[in-house]
Amino acid sequence: MKKTLIVGNWKMHLNTQQASLLVRRLGERVPQHRDIETVLAPSMLTLQPISLEVDRRKFRLAAQNANAQDLGALTGEVSFAMLSGLVHYGIIGHSERRKYFAETNKDVRAKVAAAVRNEITPIICVGETRVERTNHETKQVVREQVVTALRDLTGPEAAEVVIAYEPVWAIGAGRPASAAAITEVVAYIRLIIEGQFGKNVADAVRILYGGSVEPDFVANILSIDGVDGFLVGGASLNYQQFADIVTKAHQLAAAKEQHA
Ligand code: PGA
């Protein structure tokens, strides 16, 4: 059985001291679970100090972004090559990067290749805006995002990636997408990957849901077939809420295993 993957994206929040405090509090409240993989994505500034403080049996680290080139005259940038060995995962193509930093599917593709080349597992964010949903363009948009992002990968490489389905309209909205909407798109994402790489790869890829995930919604969303975990924004900054999300996911995984 796949472990449930829970990723906390801290976005541009928390200075070094605050980040360190949150890690300490989480460490007190989140035990090591056999069936859960918990990942923290602090800012670029705090990744290094956090890596020295964090209990690695409980938490892995992710970068929120990095440059697709390994090195060069690119003032202000940090590459996946530099992050190699420091983080397990890299979030790529988050809707905020697409919207505020004009990242295209082509950029995402190059970053995915860079992450894989540097032994960092990409967490590729895909999802439609409200307008695209209203215009019935969800499938077309998600297909283009997924297919382009994975284009440079071999089957075995693609099998390792994580896709986060984050409907843009559900991010920070206080309410996640409906189970029906999540079910449909997650199944569609597997179908796209099956077309590109075959069924084994499609089954192996982990697919997360993201957008207003809070403890109250954990059971409902994790019961959806094909959802392997969460990408959490706002609630990951609150140690009680994030620890609660991990606990609830663990309870659900344990119950599932008993029934299996
Ligand atoms: P949210 O953010 O949980 O605050 O909605 C999710 C995300 O942007 O990944």
Side-chain angles (χ1 to χ4, degrees):
M1 226 162 81
K2 287 182 200 165
K3 283 188 187 188
T4 305
L5 178 59
I6 300 175
V7 184
N9 175 11
W10 296 356
K11 305 192 179 180
M12 199 174 72
H13 294 286
L14 311 181
N15 63 27
T16 310
Q17 249 176 344
Q18 293 164 329
S20 168
L21 187 62
L22 179 53
V23 160
R24 243 196 343 267
R25 295 215 155 120
L26 285 174
E28 288 159 8
R29 279 165 187 82
V30 177
Q32 194 183 347
H33 292 300
R34 222 166 19 90
D35 43 22
I36 310 284
E37 182 179 347
T38 309
V39 178
L40 307 175
S43 72
M44 203 60 102
L45 174 70
T46 55
L47 265 176
Q48 185 94 52
I50 290 296
S51 77
L52 302 174
E53 293 169 28
V54 81
D55 182 342
R56 285 159 188 263
R57 290 163 306 178
K58 297 182 181 180
F59 303 103
R60 287 181 156 174
L61 294 178
Q64 297 176 17
N65 173 49
N67 196 281
Q69 293 193 33
D70 285 348
L71 77 176
L74 291 165
T75 302
E77 290 295 276
V78 173
S79 68
F80 284 104
M82 292 167 170
L83 291 164
S84 193
L86 182 63
V87 299
H88 264 89
Y89 292 97
I91 299 174
I92 298 176
H94 189 280
S95 63
E96 286 149 17
R97 301 242 25 119
R98 294 178 191 262
K99 180 172 176 190
Y100 302 121
F101 301 94
E103 278 188 19
T104 62
N105 287 338
K106 236 177 95 187
D107 297 326
V108 171
R109 171 183 176 180
K111 290 186 181 198
V112 168
V116 170
R117 170 169 87 235
N118 288 292
E119 293 176 342
I120 291 170
T121 302
I123 300 172
I124 304 161
C125 300
V126 302
E128 79 287 3
T129 62
R130 184 172 296 285
V131 171
E132 287 161 349
R133 174 156 282 263
T134 310
N135 292 343
H136 305 287
E137 293 165 352
T138 300
K139 286 191 171 174
Q140 183 193 324
V141 167
V142 169
R143 163 176 284 280
E144 198 50 44
Q145 290 172 334
V146 171
V147 168
T148 309
L150 301 181
R151 195 159 276 152
D152 295 325
L153 305 189
T154 62
E157 287 168 346
E160 293 291 317
V161 309
V162 178
I163 307 264
Y165 171 52
E166 300 207 300
V168 181
W169 46 273
I171 294 176
R175 225 189 135 74
S178 71
I182 300 171
T183 306
E184 190 185 11
V185 180
V186 166
Y188 184 65
I189 291 170
R190 283 205 204 278
L191 206 67
I192 297 166
I193 299 172
E194 187 176 335
Q196 217 174 349
F197 295 100
K199 182 151 172 31
N200 287 347
V201 172
D203 288 345
V205 164
R206 289 169 291 171
I207 302 184
L208 311 181
Y209 167 78
S212 300
V213 173
E214 287 177 23
D216 284 351
F217 306 121
V218 166
N220 254 345
I221 303 175
L222 277 187
S223 310
I224 297 171
D225 206 27
V227 172
D228 301 309
F230 296 120
L231 181 50
V232 185
S236 72
L237 294 168
N238 177 314
Y239 63 90
Q240 270 156 334
Q241 285 203 27
F242 194 65
D244 243 27
I245 289 171
V246 174
T247 303
K248 293 201 168 171
H250 164 64
Q251 287 165 348
L252 210 74
K256 266 192 203 166
E257 199 176 314
Q258 269 204 335
H259 287 111

